[in-house]
Structures are given as C-alpha cells and as structure tokens.
Amino acid sequence: MNSKFSLWALSWPIFLELFLQTLLGTVDTVMVSHISDDAVGVVGFANQLFNALNTLFMTVAAGAGILVAQRIGMRRDEDARTIAIMAVSACTGIGLLLSLVLYLFSAPIAGALNVSNDLLPLWNVYVSNLGGGMFLTAIIAVLGTVIRNTGNTKGPMAIGVGMNVVHIALNYGFIYGAFGLPAWGLYGVTVSGNLSKLFAAAVLLYMFVFAFERTIRLPDFRVFHAGMFKEILKIGWPLGVNMSCWVFSQLAIYAFLADLGDKELAARTYMNTLESFCFMLGGAIAAAAQIQIAHLFGAGKVREAYRSAYRALGVGFLFVAASSALLYLFGRPALGVFTKDAEIIAMGVSLLALNLLLQPGKMLNMALGNALNAVGDTRFTMLISIGSMSLLATLGSYWLGIGLGWGLVGIYASMIADEYLRGVLSYVRWRGQKRLRSRSAEPAPVRFEPAVHV
C-alpha cells in the first residue's frame, strides 16, 4: 500500500490538528468566560446550531471525500479531480444560503430553540455575525475534506493550526482591547472568527489548485458530471442524515439544558471542551482509518480493508481509556480554569465518572461506523443513527434528565446508551462483511491513468 495511506501517516497530522485546535479552542473558551458564564453558554448553544446546519454542506463534502479516496485507490485521478471540483462548488453555494439565513433571522431562531430572554442579546450578536460567515466554514470544510482524502493530511493540519492561532491572537485583541484594537467583547469574537476563517479558506484554495495531477483552473469550476454528482449524493445523503441525527440530538439536549438552567448549560459547555481532549486521538485514528479503508476498498484490497478497522479500533481504545482516566483524576482543577462558580464545577465533577464509560463507546461507534461509511455502507449507519439517537439520545435525555429529574447525569446516561448501541450494531454489520464481499465479486476496474506518483 502507498505509504502515505498508512494509518500512522494519515492519523498523526489529523491528531496534531485536532489537539492544537482543541487546545486553542480551550483558550478561546477561557477568554469568552472572562466576558461572562452566560456568554460561554450562548457560544456552546450556538455552536450546536452551527453544527446542525453544517450537515447541509457536509453531506456533499463527506460523500465526495470518500469517493475521492476510492477513485485514487482505483488509479482514476481525473475522476477524483472532477468529484472534488463539483463538491467545492456545491458546498460554497449552500454555505452562502446559510449565511444569509443566519444573518437575517437570528432572533426567530432563538425563539424556536427556547433561548432565555437574558441570553437573547448575546445570542443575536454571536449568531448573526459569526453565522453570517458560514460560507467560509463551508469552503474550509469541503476543501479540507477532499485534500485529506488525497492522502495529504499534513496540509490541512498546518492551515487549521494557523487559523486557530490567528483566531486566538485576534480574540485577545478584540476582547481585551490589546494591540490597539477596540475592546468589542463577544462581537469581537465573531470578527476574529470570520477573519481567521477567511485566511484559512484562501490558503486551502491555493493548496486545492495543486491537489491533483492536473492543476485546477477557474474555468474548471463550470464542470458538472451528472453521474458522478449522483454518486456523491448516493453516498453523501445518508451521511448527511447521520450527521444531522447527531447534531440535532445535541441541539435538543442543549435545549433541555436551557430548561434546567443557565448554570447547567455552562457546565455542559465546559465539560464538552474537556471531553474533546479525551477523544481527539481516538477521533483522529477513526478519521484516518476511514481514508485508509476507502483507499484499500477502491483498490480491491478487501481483506486489508477489513483488518484495518479492527487495528484502528484496538489502538483507539488504548488512547481513549488512558485520556479518560487522566480527565477523571484531574477534572476538578481543569474545570476551575474556566470558572470559579462552585455550583458549575460541582455539576461538571459529577460527570467525570460517567465520561469513563462514554469515551470507549464513542470509539467503538466511530471506528466501525467510519469503516462502514468508507466502503459505501452509509445507509446502514444512517438507519441505526435515526433509531438510536431519536429514542435513546434525545427522548432518553428528556425522560431521564427532565422527566425523572436526574438532570445532567440522566442526559449523560442516555448519551452513553446511544453510543454503545450504535457501536455494537456497527460491529455486527462490519463482521458480516456484506459490502466487502460485494466488492470482491466485482471485476477489476479498467485503469486509464498511470499510478499516482509519491
């Protein structure tokens, strides 16, 4: 196998990118907490909304990414190039539409999500301004996805790190009035966010131009191949529904937390930041495994693809278990970095033991779910997501957290049950090798292009 598609070569840049993004995101949260705990709650809630809307363009980006990796495995670079170009054009258009909606309708959206009147002024500032730059998020997401799936995970890593460094530096300036910049508070956070994304989008676009054997030029963005775009949607729409199930369940959970109180909302936001450190290495391994398995599957190496999923799962379990144990031991002082509110800290501490159960379940679910997606079995992961997230993650959270009065503990218990159910079902499906067997029966693809040079 091409060495650039090895698990280690793919995963370490993704991990480093996630680690530094999470670290800088934590610094960002600390900075926002200096504005107020209410500002942190608004940022956490609004980001769940943004994640939900992101699925509209990630449907196209994720489907295109898998197909790019598969086509490169088949040595069909020109097809991979065409798929990537169409995905960039489609995602940019979707992003522009979302930007317009968020900029104009932040207040009605707040009403639909049960945002309290106390938080509404901060919500309108954050959602209308940062949401107005959603098209930049779409461009970054699709360019980063297709570039990674060519086997180049180092480039998006470097750009992602640079974007976050710029964001933190500008945050410091706009929140505290440093470097001669105005002290704009939460509005300054949105300005720094959009400026840093503009920088990242420009550099990624330059990298994208040279990502394939034939340089991409402006007239190429007029290309449209109906058959290939249909294939993108065939793989992508179940992925989009899958992602939508997750983000909408999280959005619903944040709405439940808003019912419980502003302190619960802040506590969940702080814990979400800390949990990101637990899972980022496991998440990087799972993301790298998806690229690797898609490449192997495209090349017809089904036995290697099958084994790669278990290798990623085993390695991921070790790292996730170790990081969860560290958070359990040092969670209280870590929460103290964000807030001095004793009640919020106590809520967060009560969740640390449950996190020991949550993270391995996430690893099981993500590693095998990504493996199924890599071979095109996206409808299965979609169907189990619809059932499990609707019944366990969302309704279970409401029943235990609100109905029975268990609060945050009840919500976490529902999230744990959801992760393990989807993980076990994905394991049974992967072990059955349905899609892998069908690939083995296919004739070898006709190769019209020479092998990709490293």
Side-chain angles (χ1 to χ4, degrees):
M1 185 177 64
N2 190 323
S3 61
K4 74 176 183 178
F5 284 95
S6 70
L7 189 63
W8 168 248
L10 292 169
S11 62
W12 78 259
I14 296 175
F15 164 69
L16 187 57
E17 180 181 357
L18 289 175
F19 174 74
L20 293 175
Q21 283 183 354
T22 303
L23 183 62
L24 294 170
T26 302
V27 175
D28 189 30
T29 303
V30 171
M31 288 182 177
V32 174
S33 71
H34 290 170
I35 301 173
S36 68
D37 285 329
D38 283 350
V40 172
V42 164
V43 169
F45 199 169
N47 285 343
Q48 296 302 320
L49 170 65
F50 294 156
N51 288 338
L53 296 175
N54 285 350
T55 61
L56 295 175
F57 52 78
M58 283 306 297
T59 295
V60 176
I66 290 171
L67 290 175
V68 165
Q70 289 182 359
R71 290 300 195 277
I72 290 175
M74 297 175 185
R75 303 295 190 265
R76 291 162 61 180
D77 188 81
E78 194 64 23
D79 286 355
R81 179 181 181 274
T82 300
I83 289 167
I85 291 170
M86 289 192 296
V88 171
S89 299
C91 290
T92 301
I94 296 170
L96 287 169
L97 179 60
L98 292 176
S99 292
L100 185 63
V101 170
L102 290 168
Y103 183 76
L104 295 176
F105 302 108
S106 63
I109 293 171
L113 295 176
N114 199 28
V115 176
S116 68
N117 291 331
D118 292 338
L119 299 181
L120 189 57
L122 292 171
W123 172 276
N124 287 333
V125 167
Y126 191 76
V127 171
S128 63
N129 289 289
L130 193 63
M134 182 68 77
F135 71 97
L136 295 172
T137 305
I139 293 171
I140 291 169
V142 66
L143 290 176
T145 298
V146 297
I147 291 171
R148 285 188 194 93
N149 279 274
T150 65
N152 177 11
T153 55
K154 295 179 184 177
M157 171 203 71
I159 295 168
V161 171
M163 178 182 72
N164 281 276
V165 169
V166 171
H167 178 51
I168 292 299
L170 291 177
N171 255 10
Y172 184 77
F174 285 123
I175 291 176
Y176 304 110
F179 315 126
L181 297 173
W184 281 340
L186 191 60
Y187 173 68
V189 175
T190 68
V191 173
S192 68
N194 284 330
L195 288 176
S196 61
K197 289 176 184 177
L198 181 61
F199 156 77
V203 182
L204 277 170
L205 185 59
Y206 177 80
M207 183 177 295
F208 176 67
V209 168
F210 304 102
F212 299 91
E213 290 186 355
R214 189 160 64 91
T215 302
I216 294 172
R217 305 196 180 278
L218 188 61
D220 293 328
F221 285 95
R222 295 198 300 264
V223 68
F224 182 80
H225 190 288
M228 289 184 185
F229 196 75
K230 183 178 180 181
E231 195 172 354
I232 292 173
L233 295 181
K234 182 179 179 181
I235 289 183
W237 79 262
L239 287 173
V241 173
N242 192 346
M243 289 184 285
S244 296
C245 288
W246 187 83
V247 294
F248 279 112
S249 72
Q250 293 299 304
L251 195 59
I253 288 170
Y254 266 79
F256 302 155
L257 291 170
D259 275 341
L260 291 173
D262 294 342
K263 290 184 183 294
E264 284 82 356
L265 193 60
R268 171 58 187 151
T269 301
Y270 292 136
M271 277 298 298
N272 193 46
T273 300
L274 293 177
E275 288 167 14
S276 297
F277 283 101
C278 286
F279 193 69
M280 59 190 165
L281 185 50
I285 292 169
Q290 177 172 303
I291 297 172
Q292 183 188 59
I293 292 168
H295 181 262
L296 290 168
F297 182 74
K301 300 178 180 179
V302 294
R303 180 173 296 182
E304 292 91 332
Y306 178 71
R307 292 172 176 172
S308 291
Y310 294 121
R311 187 182 306 115
L313 180 60
V315 175
F317 264 141
L318 292 176
F319 287 112
V320 166
S323 59
S324 299
L326 287 174
L327 180 57
Y328 179 76
L329 294 174
F330 301 105
R332 181 181 288 274
L335 286 165
V337 173
F338 299 105
T339 181
K340 302 304 178 185
D341 190 306
E343 189 175 351
I344 293 176
I345 292 175
M347 291 177 186
V349 169
S350 69
L351 303 175
L352 293 174
L354 290 174
N355 186 60
L356 291 172
L357 296 174
L358 175 65
Q359 299 305 324
K362 288 178 68 174
M363 188 66 228
L364 176 67
N365 175 38
M366 180 168 280
L368 297 180
N370 279 12
L372 290 168
N373 291 334
V375 300
D377 200 1
T378 55
R379 291 195 181 190
F380 178 80
T381 56
M382 175 194 71
L383 291 173
I384 63 173
S385 293
I386 291 173
S388 182
M389 291 185 190
S390 299
L391 296 175
L392 291 181
T394 305
L395 294 180
S397 291
Y398 183 82
W399 179 51
L400 295 178
I402 306 296
L404 297 183
W406 291 10
L408 278 169
V409 172
I411 288 173
Y412 262 64
S414 298
M415 291 165 56
I416 291 169
D418 164 59
E419 295 287 356
Y420 278 99
L421 177 60
R422 286 187 289 135
V424 169
L425 292 174
S426 295
Y427 168 76
V428 173
R429 181 74 166 189
W430 184 253
R431 190 170 179 81
Q433 303 184 51
K434 180 178 179 180
R435 285 287 298 170
L436 293 172
R437 294 179 193 279
S438 66
R439 180 72 177 96
S440 298
E442 293 176 3
V446 178
R447 297 179 180 177
F448 297 102
E449 300 177 343
V452 177
H453 296 292
V454 181

